[in-house]
Amino acid sequence: MRRTIKIIFFMMLVTSLFVANSVNAADPTITVDPDPPVAESTVTFTAELDDEGIIDVWLKVQECNANTGICFPDSLQNISMSEQDGKYIVSATLGHDDATYIQYTINVETSTGWIEYLKDTKINLSEKPNGNGTTNGGGDDNGTPGFEIITLLFAVLVGVSLYKRKRSR
């Protein structure tokens, strides 16, 4: 009797796992252009969905700054995606120059209701290029002119003191 109850319980557990996996659709595939996006630029999102009976698709995008730990409330965009060749596409314009990442969520309306995918998925932003083609903080012009000379002077002082020490012996 106990064995029969265990078998029935196990079979119900396995069956419920299979049903739960078959009901949930796979997460959509999202591509972002440019990859990685740049602050204060226009970003195009493309979503490939496996859901059936899709009525509407919305993208929620928000800009955030990891250094301060805040997401800008005025940057929250809830944009309707348009279907093109079986894919859903939308462009979002980023407006904060101090944003370090964006986060997005896909909301899909089907005949059975709303489904939320990829809640608050984060994408790091690349640094904005400056006038000479490099990014801020990269290349030869990193916004700290003259500081590399301190290292050079220190090396020269160490070299001169070692040279004088050697000559005095």
Side-chain angles (χ1 to χ4, degrees), residues 48-85:
E48 294 181 41
L49 302 167
D50 293 335
D51 295 326
E52 293 183 17
I54 295 175
I55 298 170
D56 209 359
V57 180
W58 288 77
L59 175 76
K60 186 168 61 170
V61 180
Q62 189 169 23
E63 298 173 67
C64 303
N65 185 318
N67 300 325
T68 59
I70 62 167
C71 290
F72 304 106
D74 63 333
S75 71
L76 181 62
Q77 301 178 49
N78 198 12
I79 313 165
S80 177
M81 299 183 83
S82 59
E83 184 180 7
Q84 296 176 3
D85 301 326

Side-chain angles (χ1 to χ4, degrees), residues 99-116:
T100 58
Y101 71 93
I102 57 174
Q103 61 185 18
Y104 67 88
T105 304
I106 302 285
N107 292 305
V108 179
E109 182 182 12
T110 64
S111 54
T112 59
W114 286 93
I115 304 169
E116 187 176 69

Side-chain angles (χ1 to χ4, degrees), residues 2-159:
R2 291 180 89 180
R3 186 170 185 228
T4 307
I5 292 174
K6 286 181 181 179
I7 291 173
I8 291 173
F9 177 74
F10 180 72
M11 293 303 288
M12 287 178 55
L13 181 67
V14 169
T15 304
S16 66
L17 288 174
F18 281 123
V19 169
N21 284 337
S22 66
V23 170
N24 290 335
D27 280 346
T29 303
I30 306 296
T31 55
V32 179
D33 184 39
D35 186 23
V38 178
E40 291 187 314
S41 67
T42 299
V43 182
T44 302
F45 293 85
T46 305
E48 294 181 41
L49 302 167
D50 293 335
D51 295 326
E52 293 183 17
I54 295 175
I55 298 170
D56 209 359
V57 180
W58 288 77
L59 175 76
K60 186 168 61 170
V61 180
Q62 189 169 23
E63 298 173 67
C64 303
N65 185 318
N67 300 325
T68 59
I70 62 167
C71 290
F72 304 106
D74 63 333
S75 71
L76 181 62
Q77 301 178 49
N78 198 12
I79 313 165
S80 177
M81 299 183 83
S82 59
E83 184 180 7
Q84 296 176 3
D85 301 326
K87 298 178 182 180
Y88 291 85
I89 299 173
V90 71
S91 293
T93 302
L94 307 179
H96 286 272
D97 63 345
D98 56 342
T100 58
Y101 71 93
I102 57 174
Q103 61 185 18
Y104 67 88
T105 304
I106 302 285
N107 292 305
V108 179
E109 182 182 12
T110 64
S111 54
T112 59
W114 286 93
I115 304 169
E116 187 176 69
Y117 290 111
L118 306 169
K119 182 168 176 59
D120 295 334
T121 302
K122 293 175 177 40
I123 299 175
N124 290 324
L125 299 175
S126 68
E127 295 182 10
K128 254 174 100 167
N130 58 21
N132 63 2
T134 61
T135 58
N136 291 337
D140 294 330
D141 183 20
N142 62 3
T144 54
F147 281 105
E148 55 271 349
I149 200 133
I150 293 172
T151 307
L152 179 65
L153 287 175
F154 181 74
V156 168
L157 286 174
V158 169

